Amino acid sequence: MKNTILYSLVYFLFIGNILAQQTPSPKQTNDYSIEGATAHLGNGQIIENSLIMFSKGKISFVGSANTRIARAGTVINAKGKHVYPGFIAANSSLGLAEIDAVRATKDYDEVGSMLPHIRTIIAYNTESKVIETMRPNGVLMAQITPRGGSISGTSSVVQFDAWNWEDASIKTDDAIHLNWPSNFSRGRWWLGEDPALKPNKNYVKNITKIKEYFFKAKRYLNSKKTNKNLPYEALKNVFKGTQKVFIHVNGKNRITDAINLFHELTIKNIVIVGGAEAEKVAPLLKSNNIPVVIERAHRLPSSEDEDYDLPFRSAKTLTDAGLLVGLGMNGSMERMSTRNLPFYAGTYAAYGLTKEQALQLITLNNAKILGIDKFTGSLEVGKDATLFISEGDALDMRGNILLNAFIQGRKLSLETHQTKLWKRYTNKYKN
């Protein structure tokens, strides 16, 4: 009996080791100097033949390799290569679901409609096999966002080299997420209703519910509380202006309605997510200093009378209007597709943006929108050494071949389940 128990424990430990994600790297103790690469700083600037040094997880020098300065620690010769800040995915549900076809692995949506107190960081799974596949493409951080309901819950920003959610979090509870009501609806065919798209008769009613909820929360927070209301408590920092509200909304009129409502609520720290037709209200967004997190470029126009390539040009249009624009990942197969984040940015570069502007969508712009730009998002002295070296252009899948990657100075393993299979079957068929 004892032997059976012992063998069972050994078996489960072995299986757990096979299934587990890469072991997180230890804290940086050895300094690094990356010399000779083309450095894309993430703020629109490029340094040819650069020198980047970092120590104890922070960048200590950024400049030309011609500078007469002693190289620190291990010197990496990156001549002919490219250095980038780690890419940041906004509006992603990474780590909240593993297999779309297995309901038990999904934890991004809770029962209920008004759930500002639901925190994604608690459910975030650092052992996700999907997360592991982000790093070989340079995606090293993400905003972990809830889905569903009117108020989905609270997101947090994480880095992708951690033992648990406490280690992973780089900004906890950064924003509340609200799904704006649709002004069109379809009938419930299973109840015999007409399934055709038609105006939503409850649109105004649904907006009123949101408005009343926020006003009730405000009254509660300004009153002498006897019984604690956790959902209302979760909105405290929103009214203080220290926590953002990400409003998931598309359509010119709906975006305008959302801005007007939050102006009435005296909540100014908001972000538009999705933002189809945002270009039609760009002056309103700019005057209110409201950023926009746009969707992936690889999508169809939202209406029949739009140009076929309007989704590809949206980043250029909004950037030219003077808006702060980031790139999010909401949509079909969003968790698996997040590894393609740099290539979506590359598509925007093919349709008007410069390569450095497109890079900013997933580096400094996203960092600013998520409130983490003081310590990450660009290659600057004093910021986290979260960066990578690529063979070529990291926004092009032909050049996005990572040689080294670091998170807060820790050197990462770029091995994943997929790369192991690739090597295995390459060996099988190479002859």
Side-chain angles (χ1 to χ4, degrees):
M1 181 66 180
K2 288 182 180 179
N3 287 338
T4 301
I5 294 173
L6 180 61
Y7 292 144
S8 297
L9 286 172
V10 170
Y11 170 78
F12 284 115
L13 286 171
F14 176 73
I15 292 298
N17 188 52
I18 290 175
L19 296 177
Q21 194 190 32
Q22 295 287 330
T23 301
S25 302
K27 197 172 184 178
Q28 182 191 4
T29 55
N30 180 39
D31 295 351
Y32 286 94
S33 298
I34 302 171
E35 185 174 10
T38 298
H40 304 262
L41 304 189
N43 58 7
Q45 299 178 28
I46 298 176
I47 301 176
E48 303 285 354
N49 189 27
S50 67
L51 174 63
I52 298 172
M53 298 191 291
F54 50 98
S55 175
K56 297 179 181 178
K58 297 290 183 180
I59 298 173
S60 56
F61 181 86
V62 177
S64 171
N66 296 324
T67 305
R68 298 183 66 181
I69 185 173
R71 277 47 173 168
T74 301
V75 178
I76 300 175
N77 182 0
K79 189 173 182 179
K81 314 304 181 189
H82 296 256
V83 179
Y84 293 86
F87 297 151
I88 306 165
N91 187 33
S92 171
S93 57
L94 274 167
L96 301 182
E98 192 70 3
I99 304 170
D100 283 352
V102 181
R103 187 174 181 179
T105 70
K106 297 179 182 181
D107 200 11
Y108 50 75
D109 187 4
E110 292 290 337
V111 176
S113 179
M114 303 293 188
L115 305 168
H117 58 303
I118 297 299
R119 305 169 67 221
T120 59
I121 192 64
I122 301 297
Y124 176 69
N125 175 24
T126 56
E127 294 289 340
S128 168
K129 285 283 188 181
V130 181
I131 290 173
E132 190 178 71
T133 66
M134 303 298 117
R135 305 191 307 201
N137 280 10
V139 183
L140 305 181
M141 294 167 282
Q143 179 194 41
I144 309 305
T145 306
R147 302 285 183 236
S150 291
I151 301 177
S152 304
T154 304
S155 61
S156 290
V157 186
V158 302
Q159 50 84 10
F160 294 153
D161 182 53
W163 288 102
N164 49 45
W165 66 263
E166 291 98 332
D167 292 342
S169 180
I170 57 176
K171 183 163 187 180
T172 304
D173 301 334
D174 70 295
I176 300 288
H177 290 259
L178 183 147
N179 296 301
W180 194 256
S182 175
N183 49 3
F184 287 92
S185 64
R186 293 186 184 276
R188 296 166 293 182
W189 59 267
W190 59 92
L191 295 179
E193 298 174 356
D194 180 8
L197 196 66
K198 50 188 176 294
N200 181 7
K201 295 179 181 178
N202 294 319
Y203 178 65
V204 174
K205 181 180 177 181
N206 292 336
I207 294 175
T208 302
K209 284 182 181 179
I210 294 171
K211 178 180 176 180
E212 289 176 351
Y213 188 85
F214 275 91
F215 273 125
K216 286 179 181 178
K218 193 172 186 178
R219 285 195 295 270
Y220 165 83
L221 293 167
N222 291 332
S223 67
K224 293 181 180 179
K225 311 166 191 66
T226 53
N227 297 316
K228 201 164 192 175
N229 186 306
L230 288 178
Y232 290 164
E233 291 280 349
L235 292 172
K236 177 172 59 178
N237 291 328
V238 167
F239 288 107
K240 285 183 178 180
T242 58
Q243 188 180 39
K244 296 183 179 181
V245 178
F246 278 54
I247 306 173
H248 299 244
V249 56
N250 291 299
K252 176 184 68 174
N253 294 334
R254 295 169 65 206
I255 293 172
T256 302
D257 291 343
I259 293 171
N260 289 339
L261 174 59
F262 277 84
H263 180 76
E264 185 180 348
L265 293 168
T266 65
I267 297 172
K268 298 180 179 179
N269 206 358
I270 64 175
V271 175
I272 297 299
V273 183
E277 296 189 349
E279 68 279 358
K280 296 180 180 179
V281 289
L284 177 63
L285 292 165
K286 184 171 173 55
S287 65
N288 286 279
N289 196 29
I290 299 173
V292 180
V293 175
I294 58 175
E295 297 178 8
R296 296 172 260 177
H298 301 179
R299 53 190 166 88
L300 295 172
S302 57
S303 63
E304 292 181 356
D305 58 352
E306 286 183 355
D307 294 344
Y308 75 93
D309 60 350
L310 182 63
F312 301 144
R313 294 187 284 107
S314 59
K316 164 73 171 173
T317 305
L318 296 175
T319 299
D320 286 352
L323 301 179
L324 178 61
V325 183
L327 180 53
M329 282 305 304
N330 186 33
S332 176
M333 294 190 68
E334 64 182 74
R335 289 167 293 282
M336 301 68 153
S337 295
T338 300
R339 67 171 69 92
N340 294 322
L341 180 73
F343 313 138
Y344 298 132
T347 300
Y348 284 122
Y351 283 83
L353 291 183
T354 67
K355 274 291 176 72
E356 299 311 308
Q357 286 177 319
L359 176 64
Q360 284 180 262
L361 297 178
I362 55 176
T363 53
L364 190 56
N365 285 12
N366 267 354
K368 286 179 178 178
I369 292 170
L370 303 182
I372 58 175
D373 57 298
K374 288 184 178 178
F375 58 87
T376 193
S378 59
L379 301 179
E380 298 180 57
V381 173
K383 289 193 174 184
D384 288 353
T386 300
L387 50 90
F388 64 88
I389 304 170
S390 174
E391 281 276 5
D393 181 359
L395 302 190
D396 186 326
M397 63 180 65
R398 295 167 297 181
N400 186 300
I401 303 169
L402 267 63
L403 305 175
N404 289 287
F406 302 85
I407 289 181
Q408 297 169 341
R410 303 187 303 274
K411 189 173 182 180
L412 304 180
S413 165
L414 297 176
E415 192 76 273
T416 70
H417 183 61
Q418 281 77 8
T419 60
K420 289 176 183 176
L421 290 175
W422 167 60
K423 290 174 182 176
R424 177 183 176 186
Y425 287 102
T426 296
N427 289 330
K428 178 178 179 181
Y429 292 110
K430 68 181 179 181
N431 295 324

